[in-house]
PDB file of all heavy atoms in Angstrom:
ATOM      1  N   VAL A1057       1.717  -9.673 -31.722  1.00 97.00           N
ATOM      2  CA  VAL A1057       2.575  -8.999 -32.697  1.00 97.00           C
ATOM      3  C   VAL A1057       2.921  -9.944 -33.855  1.00 97.00           C
ATOM      4  O   VAL A1057       2.863  -9.559 -35.027  1.00 97.00           O
ATOM      5  CB  VAL A1057       3.855  -8.478 -32.015  1.00 97.00           C
ATOM      6  CG1 VAL A1057       4.864  -7.995 -33.057  1.00 97.00           C
ATOM      7  CG2 VAL A1057       3.514  -7.354 -31.050  1.00 97.00           C
ATOM      8  N   LEU A1058       3.281 -11.171 -33.516  1.00 97.00           N
ATOM      9  CA  LEU A1058       3.615 -12.143 -34.564  1.00 97.00           C
ATOM     10  C   LEU A1058       2.400 -12.448 -35.433  1.00 97.00           C
ATOM     11  O   LEU A1058       2.514 -12.572 -36.665  1.00 97.00           O
ATOM     12  CB  LEU A1058       4.164 -13.424 -33.934  1.00 97.00           C
ATOM     13  CG  LEU A1058       5.506 -13.289 -33.208  1.00 97.00           C
ATOM     14  CD1 LEU A1058       5.876 -14.606 -32.543  1.00 97.00           C
ATOM     15  CD2 LEU A1058       6.601 -12.832 -34.151  1.00 97.00           C
ATOM     16  N   LEU A1059       1.233 -12.561 -34.808  1.00 97.00           N
ATOM     17  CA  LEU A1059       0.011 -12.830 -35.561  1.00 97.00           C
ATOM     18  C   LEU A1059      -0.348 -11.652 -36.462  1.00 97.00           C
ATOM     19  O   LEU A1059      -0.716 -11.842 -37.626  1.00 97.00           O
ATOM     20  CB  LEU A1059      -1.144 -13.116 -34.601  1.00 97.00           C
ATOM     21  CG  LEU A1059      -2.516 -13.367 -35.252  1.00 97.00           C
ATOM     22  CD1 LEU A1059      -2.449 -14.596 -36.156  1.00 97.00           C
ATOM     23  CD2 LEU A1059      -3.583 -13.527 -34.185  1.00 97.00           C
ATOM     24  N   GLY A1060      -0.222 -10.440 -35.936  1.00 96.00           N
ATOM     25  CA  GLY A1060      -0.518  -9.252 -36.734  1.00 96.00           C
ATOM     26  C   GLY A1060       0.387  -9.140 -37.947  1.00 96.00           C
ATOM     27  O   GLY A1060      -0.072  -8.816 -39.056  1.00 96.00           O
ATOM     28  N   ARG A1061       1.641  -9.417 -37.734  1.00 95.00           N
ATOM     29  CA  ARG A1061       2.600  -9.389 -38.855  1.00 95.00           C
ATOM     30  C   ARG A1061       2.220 -10.424 -39.911  1.00 95.00           C
ATOM     31  O   ARG A1061       2.226 -10.148 -41.114  1.00 95.00           O
ATOM     32  CB  ARG A1061       4.010  -9.655 -38.312  1.00 95.00           C
ATOM     33  CG  ARG A1061       5.100  -9.654 -39.347  1.00 95.00           C
ATOM     34  CD  ARG A1061       6.420 -10.032 -38.716  1.00 95.00           C
ATOM     35  NE  ARG A1061       6.893  -8.997 -37.803  1.00 95.00           N
ATOM     36  CZ  ARG A1061       7.899  -9.165 -36.952  1.00 95.00           C
ATOM     37  NH1 ARG A1061       8.521 -10.325 -36.885  1.00 95.00           N
ATOM     38  NH2 ARG A1061       8.282  -8.170 -36.176  1.00 95.00           N
ATOM     39  N   TRP A1062       1.859 -11.628 -39.463  1.00 96.00           N
ATOM     40  CA  TRP A1062       1.510 -12.707 -40.393  1.00 96.00           C
ATOM     41  C   TRP A1062       0.237 -12.379 -41.163  1.00 96.00           C
ATOM     42  O   TRP A1062       0.163 -12.601 -42.384  1.00 96.00           O
ATOM     43  CB  TRP A1062       1.333 -14.007 -39.612  1.00 96.00           C
ATOM     44  CG  TRP A1062       0.952 -15.168 -40.479  1.00 96.00           C
ATOM     45  CD1 TRP A1062       1.780 -15.945 -41.236  1.00 96.00           C
ATOM     46  CD2 TRP A1062      -0.382 -15.661 -40.709  1.00 96.00           C
ATOM     47  NE1 TRP A1062       1.060 -16.897 -41.919  1.00 96.00           N
ATOM     48  CE2 TRP A1062      -0.270 -16.753 -41.606  1.00 96.00           C
ATOM     49  CE3 TRP A1062      -1.634 -15.303 -40.223  1.00 96.00           C
ATOM     50  CZ2 TRP A1062      -1.385 -17.469 -42.041  1.00 96.00           C
ATOM     51  CZ3 TRP A1062      -2.742 -16.017 -40.651  1.00 96.00           C
ATOM     52  CH2 TRP A1062      -2.616 -17.081 -41.550  1.00 96.00           C
ATOM     53  N   ILE A1063      -0.775 -11.862 -40.478  1.00 96.00           N
ATOM     54  CA  ILE A1063      -2.036 -11.515 -41.147  1.00 96.00           C
ATOM     55  C   ILE A1063      -1.794 -10.487 -42.246  1.00 96.00           C
ATOM     56  O   ILE A1063      -2.276 -10.630 -43.378  1.00 96.00           O
ATOM     57  CB  ILE A1063      -3.066 -10.976 -40.129  1.00 96.00           C
ATOM     58  CG1 ILE A1063      -3.555 -12.100 -39.219  1.00 96.00           C
ATOM     59  CG2 ILE A1063      -4.254 -10.328 -40.847  1.00 96.00           C
ATOM     60  CD1 ILE A1063      -4.450 -11.630 -38.085  1.00 96.00           C
ATOM     61  N   MET A1064      -1.050  -9.444 -41.917  1.00 93.00           N
ATOM     62  CA  MET A1064      -0.842  -8.365 -42.876  1.00 93.00           C
ATOM     63  C   MET A1064      -0.063  -8.837 -44.095  1.00 93.00           C
ATOM     64  O   MET A1064      -0.397  -8.507 -45.240  1.00 93.00           O
ATOM     65  CB  MET A1064      -0.120  -7.203 -42.207  1.00 93.00           C
ATOM     66  CG  MET A1064      -0.946  -6.470 -41.159  1.00 93.00           C
ATOM     67  SD  MET A1064      -2.466  -5.764 -41.829  1.00 93.00           S
ATOM     68  CE  MET A1064      -1.794  -4.603 -43.013  1.00 93.00           C
ATOM     69  N   VAL A1065       0.979  -9.616 -43.873  1.00 91.00           N
ATOM     70  CA  VAL A1065       1.806 -10.094 -44.985  1.00 91.00           C
ATOM     71  C   VAL A1065       1.038 -11.090 -45.841  1.00 91.00           C
ATOM     72  O   VAL A1065       1.088 -11.045 -47.081  1.00 91.00           O
ATOM     73  CB  VAL A1065       3.108 -10.724 -44.445  1.00 91.00           C
ATOM     74  CG1 VAL A1065       3.872 -11.415 -45.573  1.00 91.00           C
ATOM     75  CG2 VAL A1065       3.979  -9.665 -43.785  1.00 91.00           C
ATOM     76  N   THR A1066       0.298 -11.990 -45.193  1.00 93.00           N
ATOM     77  CA  THR A1066      -0.422 -13.035 -45.920  1.00 93.00           C
ATOM     78  C   THR A1066      -1.568 -12.471 -46.747  1.00 93.00           C
ATOM     79  O   THR A1066      -1.771 -12.859 -47.912  1.00 93.00           O
ATOM     80  CB  THR A1066      -0.972 -14.086 -44.934  1.00 93.00           C
ATOM     81  OG1 THR A1066       0.114 -14.644 -44.180  1.00 93.00           O
ATOM     82  CG2 THR A1066      -1.700 -15.192 -45.680  1.00 93.00           C
TER      83      THR A1066
END
Side-chain angles (χ1 to χ4, degrees):
V1057 170
L1058 294 176
L1059 178 61
R1061 180 184 292 168
W1062 179 81
I1063 290 173
M1064 292 300 298
V1065 171
T1066 302

